[in-house]
């Protein structure tokens, strides 16, 4: 009887887990009552990392999406009063996107929604399991490859 492909099984588990994370985060974002989609939430979080208002092209590059997708997200957030388009002070042809006060308040609520989603996801784990998971996730995010002969 053939043995199952361990990496294939792990890949399937990762896929199922990421889907679960997205589903739970989406539910918590919806329960926040902000009327923001997960994609809009991601744009708000990204926008908050800039020191000055970025161009739409900068956002598209950072989010790894086409510029048209950013336009649609910004349209929705602007309609909700969470961002605004502002002219570039040095080039009037360039439009920049900045957070409004409502956008900053929404970010605060979204952080709370993400924390509550994380608490739900991590609830079955002990403190030690959470510590180990954190280390494993750091390794996966950083892409570090263990040295030959060294074990994780």
């Amino acid at each position: 009887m053939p043995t199952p492909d361990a990496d294939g099984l792990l890949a399937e588990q990762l896929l199922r887990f990421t889907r679960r994370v997205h589903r739970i985060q989406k539910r918590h974002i919806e329960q926040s009552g902000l009327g923001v989609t997960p994609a809009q939430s991601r744009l708000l979080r990204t926008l908050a990392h800039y020191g000055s208002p970025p161009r739409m092209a900068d956002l598209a590059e950072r989010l790894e999406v086409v510029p048209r997708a950013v336009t649609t997200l910004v349209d929705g957030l602007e309609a909700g009063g969470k961002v605004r388009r502002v002219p570039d002070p040095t080039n009037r042809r360039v439009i920049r996107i900045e957070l409004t006060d409502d956008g900053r308040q929404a970010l605060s609520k979204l952080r709370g929604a993400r924390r509550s989603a994380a608490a739900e996801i991590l609830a079955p784990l002990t403190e030690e399991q959470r510590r180990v998971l954190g280390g494993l996730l750091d390794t996966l995010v950083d892409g570090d490859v263990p040295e030959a002969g060294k074990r994780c």
Side-chain angles (χ1 to χ4, degrees), residues 11-104:
E12 182 61 30
Q13 285 177 301
L14 286 170
L15 182 60
R16 288 178 37 226
F17 179 66
T18 56
R19 286 180 181 154
R20 181 170 185 260
V21 168
H22 287 273
R23 195 172 47 251
I24 290 171
Q25 285 184 343
K26 181 179 179 185
R27 179 170 37 84
H28 282 260
I29 289 170
E30 288 170 354
Q31 289 171 348
S32 73
L34 292 169
V36 172
T37 67
Q40 289 172 330
S41 169
R42 184 170 175 236
L43 187 137
L44 286 172
R45 289 191 322 274
T46 301
L47 195 52
H49 285 92
Y50 283 92
S52 60
R55 300 172 306 136
M56 295 257 232
D58 299 328
L59 289 169
E61 184 177 329
R62 176 81 59 94
L63 294 169
E64 298 178 348
V65 297
V66 296
R68 177 68 187 122
V70 172
T71 300
T72 302
L73 293 172
V74 168
D75 287 346
L77 289 168
E78 188 175 40
K82 292 173 182 55
V83 301
R84 69 176 145 254
R85 289 173 166 90
V86 294
D88 184 291
T90 61
N91 183 347
R92 65 184 183 155
R93 293 175 295 166
V94 174
I95 299 297
R96 296 190 173 267
I97 309 303
E98 72 178 6
L99 280 171
T100 63
D101 288 340
D102 284 350
R104 280 185 272 287

Side-chain angles (χ1 to χ4, degrees), residues 4-18 133 136-137 140:
D5 173 18
D7 286 343
L9 290 173
L10 190 55
E12 182 61 30
Q13 285 177 301
L14 286 170
L15 182 60
R16 288 178 37 226
F17 179 66
T18 56
L133 177 61
L136 293 170
L137 289 173
L140 292 173

Side-chain angles (χ1 to χ4, degrees), residues 125-139:
L125 301 180
T126 65
E127 286 302 316
E128 175 62 14
Q129 288 171 324
R130 289 175 189 216
R131 188 190 64 70
V132 170
L133 177 61
L136 293 170
L137 289 173
D138 281 344
T139 300

